[in-house]
Amino acid sequence: MIWDPIFGGYFDSEAKNLSRSFPDKRVSYYKDPDSLAGNLWKGVLKIERDIAWDVYLLYGPDAQWEKEPTQPEFWMHQLFGVTNAPRLDTEKLTEELKGLLDKLEPEDSKKGKQSKENMRIELLYFNSCPSYKRALANIKAALKEKKLRAELKLINVETEEQAEKVGFQGSPSIRINGKDLEGRDEVFSLSCRLYHLNGKPTAAPSKEAIIVKLESIMK
C-alpha cells in the first residue's frame, strides 16, 4: 500500500493514521512524498492525468518486474475521466482476486511443498529480553532433531511503531510459515511474553513444543 500526497496537509501523520485502517500483518505500507510510484504507474496504466492514484491493482503469482512494473492482470480505480478500466466495485475486485487464487496450487499440495522445502521460521524479540536466546536454541535443537531445514529469520523489534507493523505478540515470539506458534493474534505488545506449557508459565517455548508444531505442519 503506497500513500501519495494528493490533498496536501500533514502527509506523514495522515499516512500513518490511514494505515491503521488496514490492520493486517500481510500489508506493507510505503510513503511516497514525491509521487514516484504515482508517476510510474501513470505510464504503465496509460492514464491521461497528472499521476495514478486511488488505483487497485491485482498481480498474479507469475508476475515479474524488471525496470518497471508490468501491466496488472486486473485493476480498478476511483478517478474521473479514466475509461480503460472499471471503477472500483469491491464485490467485483473480490471475485477477480479469488479467481487469481484459484490458479494457485491446491492448498494441501502447497502446504506440503512449503513444509518440506520452504519452511520459514521467524523469531521476533527485543534485545533486553533475556529469553529469546533460549527460544533460538530450542528452535535450532528442534530442527536438528527432526532433520529439517528452514529459513530462520531473527526480527529485532525496537519501537512501538515497528511492533504494530509486524503484529508483535511479545518477546520471544515464533512464527512458522507466517503463523504464531500458539496461534496468538492479539493487539500488538512490546513486552516480554509468557507461554503456558503443561499448565505452567515459561518465558520461552520448549524444544518439545516447537517439535509438536513442526510435526503438525509436516502432516
Side-chain angles (χ1 to χ4, degrees):
M1 184 169 293
I2 304 174
W3 298 111
D4 275 27
I6 304 301
F7 299 113
Y10 299 100
F11 175 61
D12 286 349
S13 60
E14 286 301 315
K16 184 176 180 179
N17 290 335
L18 287 168
S19 295
R20 295 194 180 102
S21 303
F22 304 89
D24 192 307
K25 291 179 287 189
R26 295 167 296 182
V27 179
S28 297
Y29 309 99
Y30 301 91
K31 291 186 295 186
D32 183 20
D34 297 318
S35 296
L36 299 176
N39 280 294
L40 181 62
W41 260 284
K42 172 188 175 181
V44 172
L45 302 175
K46 296 179 173 56
I47 291 178
E48 297 294 332
R49 54 178 302 121
D50 293 336
I51 65 170
W53 67 281
D54 217 340
V55 291
Y56 308 82
L57 318 174
L58 297 182
Y59 284 88
D62 297 325
Q64 294 186 11
W65 299 356
E66 294 183 2
K67 292 184 178 180
E68 65 178 33
T70 57
Q71 276 281 339
E73 292 203 27
F74 183 81
W75 66 284
M76 303 185 103
H77 66 90
Q78 294 190 101
L79 302 172
F80 293 107
V82 174
T83 58
N84 55 340
R87 287 187 65 83
L88 177 65
D89 179 322
T90 54
E91 291 185 3
K92 177 62 176 175
L93 189 66
T94 301
E95 178 185 334
E96 293 290 335
L97 176 57
K98 288 181 177 178
L100 285 177
L101 292 174
D102 288 342
K103 295 179 182 178
L104 300 176
E105 296 178 75
E107 187 63 30
D108 291 342
S109 171
K110 181 175 67 175
K111 182 178 178 181
K113 184 175 181 181
Q114 184 182 44
S115 300
K116 296 175 183 177
E117 299 178 10
N118 302 311
M119 185 177 294
R120 184 179 76 259
I121 299 178
E122 297 165 309
L123 175 61
L124 298 92
Y125 69 100
F126 50 79
N127 281 323
S128 60
C129 168
S131 306
Y132 84 88
K133 292 182 180 180
R134 178 151 53 101
L136 178 60
N138 289 343
I139 292 172
K140 292 181 177 179
L143 290 171
K144 183 177 180 180
E145 183 169 322
K146 299 304 295 184
K147 298 180 180 179
L148 293 172
R149 292 185 178 183
E151 176 191 348
L152 180 56
K153 182 177 182 181
L154 275 64
I155 302 175
N156 183 13
V157 181
E158 299 179 312
T159 65
E160 290 276 347
E161 184 176 4
Q162 186 184 4
E164 182 179 9
K165 182 177 180 180
V166 301
F168 191 46
Q169 300 294 299
S171 179
S173 285
I174 297 173
R175 290 205 292 244
I176 303 178
N177 292 344
K179 294 185 178 180
D180 184 80
L181 187 72
E182 292 184 318
R184 186 185 295 184
D185 189 14
E186 302 171 358
V187 176
F188 75 94
S189 174
L190 188 61
S191 61
C192 291
R193 175 171 177 172
L194 278 180
Y195 292 81
H196 292 84
L197 302 175
N198 300 319
K200 297 181 180 179
T202 181
S206 65
K207 177 190 73 174
E208 291 72 23
I210 297 170
I211 286 176
V212 168
K213 185 65 175 180
L214 292 174
E215 289 177 336
S216 71
I217 291 174
M218 293 296 294
K219 290 179 180 179

